[in-house]
Structure formats: C-alpha cells, structure tokens
C-alpha cells in the first residue's frame, strides 16, 4: 500500500514543486497582480441585490499562478448573501484540466485555508500570483489541487470569507461556498453543469467553510447535489483553539476576526487602545503572515482591557454562533484529525463527530496517528481523495457512523 501511495505522491508532488519553483522564479509576474481592493473586477455592481444567489456577474480568464500550466482557468464574480442577510459579491476560481472525463466531469469544491483578515490573501488573488507571503497557504494546497486535476476533476475555489475577509463567520463562509458552486455550474465554458457530481473538500479553516456549507446546503441551496465531503484538521471549540494559540498570531486572528464580525461590538468594547488600533488596521496588510511579522510573540492580554479575555463571556458569545455542529450534514462525510494536533485539540473534533453521529449523519471519522496538524494534512489526504472518487463513481458509502 505504501509503495502505491508513494508513487502517487511522487507524481502529484512533482507537479506541485514545478508550480512552486516556477512561481518563486517569476517576481515580475507576481508583482503585476493587483490586490482585490485595487482591482475593478472585485467591485460590486450597483444592482447586486437584484440578482439571485449564485448568479454570475462577470468572468475573466486567468493564467494559473501566472505560469504556463496546462489548466484552463477562469474567475467568476457572483452574488451571495452574508450572515447579516446583506448581498455580497464574491469571486470563485474554476480550474479544468486537459484530461477527458467519461460522462459528466466531477467537480471538487476546494476550500483553501485563508487565515486572513485581508482580501489580498483570498484564493482568487493568490491563484493569480502575488507576494510570496500571500501565496503560502495556496502553495501548501498545491499537491492536493494537483491530485484532483490529475484525476480529471474540475476544481472550484471560492473566496468564502467574502470581500470583508470574515474569518470564522460560519454562515458567510458556508453560503459563499454553495454560491460559488452554483456560479460554476451555470458557467458553460467550464463544461460543468447540474449533471456533474459535486464533492467538497477542505483542511483546517478550509474544513470549517466546507462543513458549514454541508450543514447549510439543505436549507440554503437544496438543488446543489453534494455526493461526498472530505474535511480534516477541523476547527472546533473556538475558545479552546484560541487559548491553545495564545502566544502566536493565530489567537490574534481569531480575536480580531470575531470582534470585527459581530453585529454588536461587545467583544470590540473589551479591547484596549492597542487592540482597537489593531482592529482598525484589519483589511490592509492583515494577512496571517503580515500579522505574524508585526506582532511576534503576541499574547491576547496585550490587546485586552480585561484579564483573560479568551475566557470572557463576550468572547464565548461571539464564538458560539460560529461553531460547527448545529445541524448534521446530509451528505456522506470523511473526516480526519491528528490525535496529536498541536493547533486544534482533538477533543473538539471527537465531540463534533459524536454530535454528527447523534444527529444521524453518515460519516467515516479517522483519529489519525500522523503527528501534528500538518502531518495529518499530508498523511490522510489520499484517503480523503479516494473517498470522493468512490462517491463520484457511484459507490455507496458505509452506512451510519464508522469511527476509527
């Protein structure tokens, strides 16, 4: 088994490394990419509210990473609705490989971890190129995207955080994913339509958006037929996750994201002057890498007007509506998480699996022996991809809950 997996990975990683090496060697191409805030393609039309969710409001062809990669690529502007029920313009990137497909081409809705409060790090921007620091998350996902393309699947990558980069906004993220799929299905040049089987995929914060989409599908987009979902390194129990990250930039990203997203500024009112300045600065140079450079060895107490803010009721109240588990997805799930994940404690993952099972979900859940957050991302990826391949082929999943 390991020999077969090793040969598969060599092929996939070779393509990913070619993409990365070429990207690193072409600074001129990267510098030519405008950030979304300066790019007219991202400007919402004045009649946005009159269009239905998922409507395509413009398109453009792009060169993936600014490189001569033999993959057809388009970006679509589409209407969605955020968690405050406001119309929103999102962008999705549609990738189609030159590999022929027998029957309708499978579509993989792929959620790249954004981990950002700045649209400059949105996938639609990084997939065109840009600064090396902006592209980090995208290039980490390159082997898995390459594997999907190698299998002949179309890949749809949506900016699920939206134009305000609403990190850990569950409803906004889930709706952004579903409306990105709707937009891709209606874009005839990509050769995919309502008959194409759809799978969804995400790791880490990409898993968060993926599972929110599957939870919302039945109510928000019942015509979007998802045959399977693979998600790993699943963010759960946001307060515990933030406490684990305190001392690094991850906790600050969570704090500022929740404070910026909440309709009433209860959490924002508990920030001190430094915290309020940091909150006001989000949206420009607020990618995760930028904040890590600006605030090394950061502790939340340095930004708070009250002690132990991450345990404060205002923080927990801001996090609670955005926790996964409120509704069981009605699509078959393949979930995986390292038992030694240093970023997202495995206890929250186990509790989410138990919740989904109690609600009647069909799922396979792996408690992975691969060490660390990154280790499980690499070690369990083929299991997740093969699960989706079986669903695309029409093979029924194991019934009920299979927990390993």
């Amino acid at each position: 088994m390991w020999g077969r997996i090793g040969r598969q990975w060599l092929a996939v990683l070779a393509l990913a490394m070619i993409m990365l090496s070429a990207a690193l060697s072409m600074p001129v191409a990267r510098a030519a990419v405008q950030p979304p805030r300066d790019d007219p393609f991202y400007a919402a039309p004045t009649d946005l509210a009159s269009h239905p969710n998922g409507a395509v409001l413009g398109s453009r062809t792009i060169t993936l990473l600014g490189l001569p990669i033999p993959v057809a690529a388009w970006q679509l502007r589409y209407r969605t609705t955020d968690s405050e029920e406001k119309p929103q313009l999102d962008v999705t990137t549609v990738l189609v490989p030159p590999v022929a497909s027998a029957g309708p081409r499978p579509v993989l809705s792929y959620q790249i971890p954004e981990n950002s409060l700045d649209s400059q790090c949105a996938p639609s921007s990084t997939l065109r190129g840009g600064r090396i620091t902006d592209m980090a998350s995208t290039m980490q996902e390159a082997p898995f995207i390459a594997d999907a393309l190698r299998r002949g699947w179309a890949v749809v990558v949506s900016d699920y955080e939206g134009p305000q980069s609403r990190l850990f906004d569950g409803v906004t993220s889930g709706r952004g994913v579903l409306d990105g799929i709707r937009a891709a299905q209606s874009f005839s040049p990509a050769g995919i339509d309502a008959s194409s089987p759809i799978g969804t995929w995400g790791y880490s914060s990409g898993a968060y958006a993926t599972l929110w989409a599957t939870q919302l599908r039945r109510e928000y987009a019942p015509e979007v037929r998802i045959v399977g979902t693979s998600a790993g390194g699943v963010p759960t129990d946001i307060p515990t996750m933030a406490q684990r990250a305190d001392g690094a930039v991850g906790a600050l990203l969570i704090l500022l994201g929740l404070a910026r997203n909440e309709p009433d500024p209860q959490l924002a009112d508990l920030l001190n002057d430094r915290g309020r300045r940091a909150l006001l600065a989000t949206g420009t140079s607020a990618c995760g890498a930028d904040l890590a450079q600006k605030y090394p060895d950061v502790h939340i107490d340095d930004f708070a007007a009250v002690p132990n803010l991450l345990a404060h009721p205002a923080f927990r109240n801001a996090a609670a509506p955005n926790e996964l588990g409120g509704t069981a997805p009605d699509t078959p799930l393949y979930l995986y998480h390292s038992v030694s994940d240093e970023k997202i404690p495995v206890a929250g993952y186990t509790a989410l699996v138990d919740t989904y099972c109690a609600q009647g979900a069909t799922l396979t859940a792996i408690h992975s022996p691969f060490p660390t957050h990154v280790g499980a991302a690499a070690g369990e990826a083929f299991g997740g991809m093969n699960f989706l391949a079986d669903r695309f082929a029409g093979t029924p999943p194991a019934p009920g809950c299979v927990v390993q």
Side-chain angles (χ1 to χ4, degrees):
M1 179 181 71
W2 288 108
R4 175 175 55 82
I5 292 176
R7 289 191 296 274
Q8 290 176 320
W9 267 119
L10 282 175
V12 173
L13 287 173
L15 174 57
M17 292 308 297
I18 290 170
M19 293 165 61
L20 178 59
S21 298
L24 294 175
S25 66
M26 297 182 67
V28 175
R30 292 197 310 275
V33 176
Q34 289 181 298
R37 59 181 168 269
D38 298 328
D39 187 340
F41 187 75
Y42 292 82
T46 56
D47 63 346
L48 178 62
S50 68
H51 295 278
N53 289 317
V56 177
L57 305 178
S59 65
R60 65 183 177 188
T61 58
I62 67 164
T63 303
L64 183 59
L65 300 176
L67 306 173
I69 298 172
V71 173
W74 300 267
Q75 290 186 334
L76 314 178
R77 296 156 27 107
Y78 64 95
R79 183 251 162 94
T80 186
T81 300
D82 69 14
S83 59
E84 297 178 11
E85 305 303 326
K86 296 177 181 178
Q88 179 170 279
L89 186 83
D90 276 6
V91 174
T92 193
T93 303
V94 181
L95 309 175
V96 179
V99 181
S101 176
R105 186 184 295 276
V107 177
L108 181 61
S109 174
Y110 193 111
Q111 281 57 255
I112 291 176
E114 291 196 39
N115 298 326
S116 172
L117 302 174
D118 185 347
S119 61
Q120 186 161 308
C121 286
S124 65
S125 180
T126 61
L127 285 168
R128 295 178 64 219
R131 298 185 307 165
I132 291 298
T133 52
D134 298 342
M135 294 171 64
S137 290
T138 296
M139 295 315 303
Q140 289 174 0
E141 302 299 305
F144 315 123
I145 294 174
D147 185 32
L149 295 170
R150 177 189 65 85
R151 294 171 186 257
W153 304 346
V155 178
V156 177
V157 185
S158 299
D159 294 354
Y160 54 83
E161 284 190 5
Q164 284 81 44
S165 298
R166 295 174 68 94
L167 180 68
F168 285 116
D169 182 331
V171 171
T172 292
S173 297
R175 289 175 173 178
V177 170
L178 292 167
D179 287 324
I181 295 171
R182 282 169 158 164
Q185 286 180 310
S186 68
F187 185 66
S188 57
I192 55 180
D193 56 33
S195 67
S196 297
I198 299 163
T200 54
W201 169 284
Y203 193 82
S204 195
S205 60
Y208 176 84
T210 297
L211 289 174
W212 263 101
T214 63
Q215 290 186 174
L216 295 174
R217 186 212 67 83
R218 181 166 41 200
E219 174 186 353
Y220 184 78
E223 82 285 2
V224 175
R225 186 174 64 92
I226 299 174
V227 300
T229 292
S230 289
V234 183
T236 53
D237 190 349
I238 295 172
T240 298
M241 190 169 59
Q243 289 168 358
R244 173 70 66 87
D246 198 15
V249 74
L252 183 61
L253 278 167
I254 295 171
L255 171 64
L256 296 180
L258 291 178
R260 192 176 63 173
N261 295 346
E262 63 179 351
D264 301 317
Q266 298 179 20
L267 184 55
D269 286 345
L270 298 180
L271 300 176
N272 60 20
D273 288 344
R274 187 184 185 193
R276 285 191 289 271
R277 288 195 300 270
L279 185 62
L280 288 172
T282 61
T284 58
S285 298
C287 296
D290 293 321
L291 291 179
Q293 291 181 346
K294 187 174 182 180
Y295 302 112
D297 303 319
V298 62
H299 289 274
I300 294 304
D301 282 349
D302 298 334
F303 296 82
V306 297
N308 200 12
L309 178 57
L310 296 179
H312 194 281
F315 184 84
R316 294 186 174 276
N317 291 340
N322 298 295
E323 297 281 9
L324 289 162
T327 304
D330 62 353
T331 179
L333 305 175
Y334 185 92
L335 307 178
Y336 53 97
H337 198 104
S338 172
V339 295
S340 59
D341 192 309
E342 79 285 9
K343 297 182 181 294
I344 306 171
V346 70
Y349 166 75
T350 301
L352 178 65
V353 168
D354 291 345
T355 297
Y356 281 161
C357 288
Q359 294 171 339
T362 297
L363 65 82
T364 296
I366 308 297
H367 288 76
S368 174
F370 286 100
T372 76
H373 190 69
V374 172
E380 300 291 351
F382 270 109
M385 285 291 180
N386 290 338
F387 175 86
L388 293 174
D390 288 343
R391 305 292 79 76
F392 289 151
T395 304
C401 284
V402 179
V403 181
Q404 302 174 14

